[in-house]
Amino acid sequence: KTLILNRLLTNKENSAIKNLSVDLKHYHSLEEFKVISNIFKNKFPSCSSLYYLERILRFKNGRVYLISKSYIAKDITGIINKKQFRDKNILDVLINTSKVKLKNSKQEIKAFNLSAKDALIFQSVKGFPALSNTWNFYDFNNNLVLIDEEIMIESLSVNNKYY
């Protein structure tokens, strides 16, 4: 199934998001990993600092299809480092390395226009229509542990397998 939002279909440049159905066989690169001051005081009220990760996911041909921006509660997860995220899913690191017990997640999907920085990564233009899929993951104490925003400019069909 493909999610189509009217706002994604038109913009000032009269461009359109095209349906894309491919076997991704993607690879990702960790572009940024740093500790930052808590910029989400209302969402992470008990944390003084956050881990910030920015990953770029690409198709096999090298073209960018997704930017992932993640904020992790440092006070909850303890010490983690860049090497722990090499070729691993963020949830895998939090659950298996930091031993965080996740209870639930909330998801928000919205249309928006690309920032200049994100447009540069996508080799697009500022203001190009995009889709933001933001996940908020909570632990059993109802503390927000992770915000993971996934930004894409093309529709994407996903088939998840759980073993």
Side-chain angles (χ1 to χ4, degrees), residues 96-112:
N96 296 314
T97 303
S98 296
K99 305 298 183 202
V100 173
K101 305 253 188 268
L102 297 174
K103 177 183 174 184
N104 68 312
S105 66
K106 295 180 181 178
Q107 185 178 12
E108 177 186 7
I109 300 172
K110 65 180 178 182
F112 76 106

Side-chain angles (χ1 to χ4, degrees), residues 2-163:
T2 303
L3 174 66
I4 298 175
L5 300 172
N6 287 338
R7 185 168 175 206
L8 290 175
L9 298 177
T10 60
N11 67 14
K12 295 176 191 145
E13 288 76 39
N14 294 320
S15 58
I17 301 294
K18 295 183 175 67
N19 187 19
L20 180 66
S21 179
V22 292
D23 182 13
L24 294 179
K25 294 193 184 220
H26 67 272
Y27 65 94
H28 69 271
S29 58
L30 182 58
E31 301 294 317
E32 280 190 66
F33 178 88
K34 59 186 175 182
V35 176
I36 62 170
S37 294
N38 184 354
I39 58 174
F40 299 108
K41 295 274 186 200
N42 59 334
K43 293 186 178 195
F44 296 100
S46 63
C47 291
S48 58
S49 56
L50 307 170
Y51 290 107
Y52 172 73
L53 285 78
E54 184 172 297
R55 299 178 308 149
I56 309 296
L57 282 78
R58 302 178 193 309
F59 290 111
K60 194 174 181 180
N61 66 9
R63 193 178 71 195
V64 173
Y65 77 89
L66 186 140
I67 300 170
S68 171
K69 298 178 181 184
S70 303
Y71 302 89
I72 302 170
K74 186 174 186 271
D75 297 350
I76 295 171
T77 60
I79 297 171
I80 50 180
N81 63 56
K82 185 177 184 174
K83 289 181 184 177
Q84 292 170 306
F85 290 96
R86 187 160 287 129
D87 300 323
K88 288 197 179 168
N89 178 293
I90 292 173
L91 292 178
D92 181 46
V93 173
L94 296 179
I95 292 167
N96 296 314
T97 303
S98 296
K99 305 298 183 202
V100 173
K101 305 253 188 268
L102 297 174
K103 177 183 174 184
N104 68 312
S105 66
K106 295 180 181 178
Q107 185 178 12
E108 177 186 7
I109 300 172
K110 65 180 178 182
F112 76 106
N113 295 321
L114 287 178
S115 68
K117 180 184 176 200
D118 292 340
L120 186 63
I121 294 169
F122 279 114
Q123 297 181 346
S124 185
V125 294
K126 179 183 175 188
F128 193 82
L131 187 64
S132 168
N133 182 9
T134 303
W135 296 82
N136 294 299
F137 291 88
Y138 297 86
D139 67 10
F140 277 85
N141 294 320
N142 292 320
N143 294 313
L144 182 60
V145 177
L146 166 68
I147 296 174
D148 186 18
E149 179 184 27
E150 300 171 336
I151 299 169
M152 61 193 86
I153 60 171
E154 298 184 44
S155 61
L156 187 65
S157 179
V158 177
N159 182 16
N160 293 313
K161 295 180 182 177
Y162 301 99
Y163 300 96

